[in-house]
Amino acid sequence: IKMITKAEKKELLAIAEVYGLKNVNFRSDMRGGSYYGNRIDVGTKLRSRRKAYGNFFHELAHFVLWKLGEYPLYHDPNRDFRNNFKSIKAAAYYALKAECATDDLAAKLMKEWYPRKKYDRGYTMSKADHYFLWGYLTS
């Protein structure tokens, strides 16, 4: 497992501040990431630094989209968006569209800051991803 360095964390924190995000937690006990409105947690327990950078930019993109008002039912940390849909299937489809938009922005942001690093998409509009999210929403 390759952890990102203190210098890299400092650099990523400075990037977050450019977008108005001041609360970023790098967690060695996580593989993924989490978004909580004004705070993101970034998992660094990964096989590559590239994955950690990808986690950072994905969670940062959630924050930016929240600030822009994109997919407000999904990105508002103060509401359970599932209550706004008639079915779990509709909620899963909305969530998947929001995650794909997040991936699109994350890839763009990562390319702006680190043109040589490749962003690995976490979501597509495939049936597999739809059912994954559906399962997540019903658990």
Side-chain angles (χ1 to χ4, degrees), residues 47-59:
R47 291 193 175 140
S48 73
R49 286 186 171 104
R50 188 175 90 191
K51 294 280 189 190
Y53 276 74
N55 280 353
F56 169 80
F57 280 101
H58 183 86
E59 299 310 324

Side-chain angles (χ1 to χ4, degrees), residues 91-108:
Y93 184 73
Y94 184 86
L96 187 55
K97 282 176 53 178
E99 287 292 352
C100 286
T102 301
D103 262 353
D104 290 344
L105 181 57
K108 180 181 174 190

Side-chain angles (χ1 to χ4, degrees), residues 79-90:
R79 69 160 49 136
D80 183 351
F81 83 99
R82 294 173 286 192
N83 296 331
N84 294 288
F85 296 91
K86 291 181 181 178
S87 70
I88 293 294
K89 186 175 181 180

Side-chain angles (χ1 to χ4, degrees), residues 103-130:
D103 262 353
D104 290 344
L105 181 57
K108 180 181 174 190
L109 294 174
M110 191 162 160
K111 187 171 186 143
E112 284 177 20
W113 290 95
Y114 299 100
R116 294 182 153 190
K117 290 190 187 303
K118 182 181 181 291
Y119 178 78
D120 295 323
R121 294 184 68 82
Y123 297 91
T124 65
M125 288 301 290
S126 74
K127 272 190 174 179
D129 281 342
H130 192 139

Side-chain angles (χ1 to χ4, degrees), residues 9-103:
K9 288 178 186 176
K10 187 175 179 180
E11 189 174 275
L12 293 173
L13 289 170
I15 291 169
E17 285 195 20
V18 168
Y19 298 95
L21 179 61
K22 296 182 185 343
N23 195 345
V24 178
N25 298 314
F26 293 98
R27 297 186 42 185
S28 61
D29 62 333
M30 288 177 67
R31 291 185 189 269
S34 298
Y35 156 78
Y36 304 99
N38 285 322
R39 183 185 106 219
I40 62 172
D41 291 347
V42 179
T44 60
K45 187 178 181 179
L46 301 159
R47 291 193 175 140
S48 73
R49 286 186 171 104
R50 188 175 90 191
K51 294 280 189 190
Y53 276 74
N55 280 353
F56 169 80
F57 280 101
H58 183 86
E59 299 310 324
L60 176 62
H62 276 299
F63 173 78
V64 171
L65 289 172
W66 172 55
K67 293 302 239 182
L68 293 173
E70 298 288 324
Y71 294 94
L73 297 178
Y74 189 71
H75 285 116
D76 184 344
N78 298 314
R79 69 160 49 136
D80 183 351
F81 83 99
R82 294 173 286 192
N83 296 331
N84 294 288
F85 296 91
K86 291 181 181 178
S87 70
I88 293 294
K89 186 175 181 180
Y93 184 73
Y94 184 86
L96 187 55
K97 282 176 53 178
E99 287 292 352
C100 286
T102 301
D103 262 353

